[in-house]
Amino acid sequence: MEAVLANLREAIERGEYAVGDKLPAESGLGKEFEVSRSVVREALRALQALGLTASKTGKGTFVISNRPVENPVFGHYSARDLLEARRHVEVPAAGYAARRHTTDHLDSLTELVERMEHETDNTAWVALDSLFHITIAQASGNPVFGKVIEEIRDALARQSTLLNQLGDRRAASNVEHRSLLEAIGGRDELAAAEAMTHHLTHVESTLSNIVGSKTPAANENGDS
């Protein structure tokens, strides 16, 4: 999938597919790259998230820009939407989770971290990643945090997939998740909040590198 996405993105940025051009059908791209249609569909979804293409029902996928947008969209939410919300939800949720988690919560988080560290399939890893963040929100003891993360779960999964495919985030995320687990397990509220802040900062930085500029959230907050 990474190879298909990289090839199509480069072709668009070089002008081989100009703005307004229609990309080949999924079946054609599948034959060209010798991959399944599901792989092609995933690559096309990533191109759309980057703002390079748009899909028109019954007509196909068309190039709408030769450069990624600063604020990619994942499902119903933009990168800026997710980053702003996550700072105000997941950072305090991690702190509360350190203070309020149960043995069951800690066991679940430990199992998820260990499974992610050994998982080789990207799709399976993303599913575990989403569950890890939901479990932290649930461990906070505040059901509102859990509801918010559940609401944005699909968008987070799409963003995570893109970050792994184009930003090689999995190994770094595993390290950051392990730090979160240790802080929560140690009931260190401050360290847990700081670990989540560190994690989200790296998510934002990787996304900024992928699109080639700062995200709107970074521009507004003066982050680099």
Side-chain angles (χ1 to χ4, degrees):
M1 184 277 179
E2 290 88 341
V4 176
L5 176 56
N7 273 275
L8 289 174
R9 178 177 176 175
E10 289 171 6
I12 291 171
E13 292 181 342
R14 286 196 307 265
E16 292 180 21
Y17 293 113
V19 174
D21 284 354
K22 178 182 177 181
L23 295 184
E26 289 179 5
S27 57
L29 290 171
K31 291 179 181 178
E32 177 182 349
F33 293 106
E34 299 181 345
V35 296
S36 67
R37 291 184 66 173
S38 62
V39 171
V40 171
R41 197 171 298 120
E42 196 174 346
L44 293 177
R45 188 178 297 121
L47 287 176
Q48 188 168 344
L50 289 171
L52 295 170
T53 64
S55 179
K56 299 182 180 179
T57 305
K59 295 183 178 181
T61 299
F62 294 82
V63 177
I64 60 173
S65 175
N66 62 1
R67 288 289 181 271
V69 294
E70 290 186 353
N71 190 22
V73 176
F74 303 98
H76 298 297
Y77 304 103
S78 72
R80 180 181 59 203
D81 296 334
L82 296 175
L83 288 166
E84 288 179 351
R86 294 181 75 184
R87 286 194 190 98
H88 291 286
V89 173
E90 291 200 81
V91 172
Y96 287 127
R99 187 200 307 174
R100 300 170 177 168
H101 72 267
T102 65
T103 300
D104 287 342
H105 287 136
L106 190 60
D107 287 346
S108 295
L109 290 171
T110 301
E111 180 185 359
L112 288 167
V113 166
E114 291 175 351
R115 288 175 64 185
M116 279 187 282
E117 289 174 343
H118 294 92
E119 183 57 64
T120 58
D121 179 75
N122 189 58
T123 301
W125 188 94
V126 167
L128 294 170
D129 178 43
S130 297
L131 190 55
F132 177 76
H133 284 274
I134 288 171
T135 303
I136 289 177
Q138 293 171 339
S140 73
N142 186 328
V144 176
F145 288 145
K147 287 290 185 181
V148 172
I149 303 304
E150 281 280 5
E151 166 62 26
I152 63 175
R153 180 177 191 170
D154 179 65
L156 290 179
R158 295 189 187 199
Q159 178 177 269
S160 182
T161 297
L162 184 71
L163 293 175
N164 291 341
Q165 291 161 345
L166 297 183
D168 196 23
R169 271 285 300 164
R170 269 179 55 176
S173 287
N174 284 340
V175 173
E176 292 157 20
H177 289 158
R178 174 65 68 174
S179 295
L180 268 163
L181 172 64
E182 291 173 354
I184 291 171
R187 295 196 180 276
D188 190 330
E189 185 173 353
L190 179 59
E194 289 179 344
M196 184 63 81
T197 299
H198 176 77
H199 179 55
L200 296 180
T201 296
H202 280 273
V203 166
E204 180 175 357
S205 176
T206 303
L207 186 59
S208 296
N209 290 335
I210 288 172
V211 301
S213 62
K214 295 180 180 178
T215 62
N219 288 332
E220 290 167 10
N221 294 322
D223 296 337
S224 57

